Amino acid sequence: MIWWCLALVPPLLLLAVFIYAFHICFYSANKKPQNPYRPPEGEQYVAVADKIISATQMMDAVPFEPVTVKSFDGLTLFGRYYHTRDGAPTKIIFHGYRSMALRDGIGGFAMARELGMNVLTVDQRAHGKSDGHVITFGVLERRDCLTWIEYVNQRFGEQTPIVLSGLSMGAATVIMAASLPLPKNVVGILADCPYSSPKKIISKVAKNLGIPPTLAYPFIRLSAAVLGGFPLEGCSAIEAAGASNVPILILHGEDDRLVPHTMSQEIQDAGKGRVQLVTFPQAGHGLSYIIHPQAYKKTVFDFLTGIPDLKPYLEADSVPKGVI
């Protein structure tokens, strides 16, 4: 009998590793509210915590309209709509992995409001007030982009220019959305520190933790398919950039210790001239706006005004107040 029990130990250990990999990478209980005023851990964030908190307070003080949509697979997704002026372009902002719109969206939100744009910040699936328990690293979230675009078009009309914007996983998500048939009024994509593919960022984090990626990744990929119900390699930002018909601006800190800025270079290289990359010295993950606000704003403004469908809305005589 003892031999039978011993024989079961290896498969039970493998099963435990399999389940553990899924919970660590993809599962979200989505029950505990997060504190938006608590910056991420790490010395790079401690040094600028006051600036992050101040920007978060500014965004938190602006009234919004709560809105919901149904995803393609039946989840109720939650968003916050901030109206600036009638007839203006709309920016849709997507936050990062296990994070929230109220913190990750501070830069994109502030600039959009300064330029007179309306803003829709969304809780990604399995985050915040949105349904779901599985985070898919952009593979399914990119289809949620289409759902939110449809919401804007139904509410404001298909003539309304739309800009997709995201940070970290949200940045990868909006680029990956470019692999889908986006409506013609999606005129630009802003991506701050995206990873090039789910496989590459998961392998990179595993390596940082001292876990050989060649051993860990097969378990993680299989757990995504079996327990999460999605193909982890179903899409990547590299592939989507190569297929995109929408101009993409990538912004990335050169001192990003989570997502190396070389990943953005890979995306640009695949973009066939449709992808512009600007990096910011001494800026950590998601901190380019905080460290270099003026250069960041100018880069984004120059990109947006270079889009013909946006330029009339952003000219000096059409914007109440702003960076112009």
Side-chain angles (χ1 to χ4, degrees):
M1 182 66 179
I2 190 170
W3 296 108
W4 281 103
C5 291
L6 290 174
L8 288 174
V9 170
L12 287 176
L13 283 174
L14 289 175
L15 179 61
V17 171
F18 178 73
I19 295 173
Y20 179 76
F22 174 76
H23 275 256
I24 289 296
C25 291
F26 309 115
Y27 183 74
S28 172
N30 198 22
K31 297 297 181 183
K32 296 180 181 179
Q34 293 179 290
N35 179 7
Y37 294 104
R38 181 180 179 181
E41 297 179 357
E43 60 177 339
Q44 290 180 306
Y45 299 98
V46 171
V48 293
D50 56 337
K51 295 181 180 179
I52 296 174
I53 292 171
S54 177
T56 303
Q57 289 174 331
M58 179 277 295
M59 182 175 175
D60 199 12
V62 179
F64 65 85
E65 175 191 347
V67 296
T68 58
V69 295
K70 281 290 183 182
S71 71
F72 71 95
D73 52 355
L75 300 178
T76 298
L77 304 177
F78 178 83
R80 298 163 181 81
Y81 174 70
Y82 300 83
H83 188 78
T84 303
R85 54 176 175 151
D86 293 344
T90 297
K91 176 187 278 191
I92 310 177
I93 300 177
F94 296 81
H95 63 76
Y97 177 77
R98 299 192 188 278
S99 190
M100 66 201 84
L102 187 53
R103 187 176 64 204
D104 287 0
I106 52 178
F109 175 83
M111 284 183 288
R113 297 274 291 181
E114 288 178 3
L115 291 171
M117 300 173 71
N118 298 321
V119 182
L120 176 62
T121 65
V122 307
D123 287 356
Q124 298 236 53
R125 58 174 55 219
H127 291 80
K129 295 183 179 181
S130 289
D131 287 350
H133 294 292
V134 181
I135 303 169
T136 74
F137 282 73
V139 175
L140 298 185
E141 288 86 352
R142 66 192 172 119
R143 297 181 64 180
D144 297 336
C145 288
L146 279 182
T147 301
W148 285 111
I149 291 166
E150 290 169 2
Y151 168 82
V152 172
N153 283 347
Q154 290 172 6
R155 180 169 176 177
F156 301 112
E158 296 182 0
Q159 78 288 348
T160 302
I162 293 175
V163 175
L164 299 179
S165 177
L167 183 140
S168 195
M169 188 186 84
T173 296
V174 294
I175 295 176
M176 290 161 73
S179 66
L180 302 172
L182 297 177
K184 292 182 179 180
N185 62 318
V186 178
V187 297
I189 295 174
L190 297 169
D192 190 321
C193 57
Y195 46 77
S196 51
S197 73
K199 178 180 180 179
K200 289 198 173 187
I201 189 59
I202 289 172
S203 297
K204 193 265 182 184
V205 172
K207 185 177 181 180
N208 287 354
L209 296 174
I211 304 170
T214 52
L215 295 179
Y217 185 74
F219 284 98
I220 295 170
R221 180 185 179 188
L222 185 60
S223 75
V226 175
L227 299 178
F230 73 97
L232 186 55
E233 297 182 9
C235 187
S236 76
I238 291 176
E239 296 168 2
S244 176
N245 292 318
V246 180
I248 299 171
L249 172 63
I250 300 178
L251 309 113
H252 213 132
E254 294 176 10
D255 194 20
D256 193 324
R257 301 170 191 177
L258 178 61
V259 182
H261 69 275
T262 52
M263 288 196 181
S264 284
Q265 184 65 63
E266 293 175 332
I267 299 170
Q268 184 192 40
D269 291 344
K272 301 176 181 178
R274 302 290 290 176
V275 180
Q276 176 186 351
L277 169 62
V278 178
T279 61
F280 297 85
Q282 301 178 325
H285 186 65
L287 292 178
S288 296
Y289 172 76
I290 295 294
I291 302 296
H292 300 282
Q294 295 307 317
Y296 193 103
K297 286 182 178 183
K298 185 178 187 308
T299 299
V300 171
F301 178 72
D302 289 347
F303 172 75
L304 294 178
T305 53
I307 298 173
D309 289 335
L310 280 178
K311 188 174 182 180
Y313 296 93
L314 304 180
E315 291 175 343
D317 59 353
S318 67
V319 179
K321 294 179 180 179
V323 297
I324 302 175

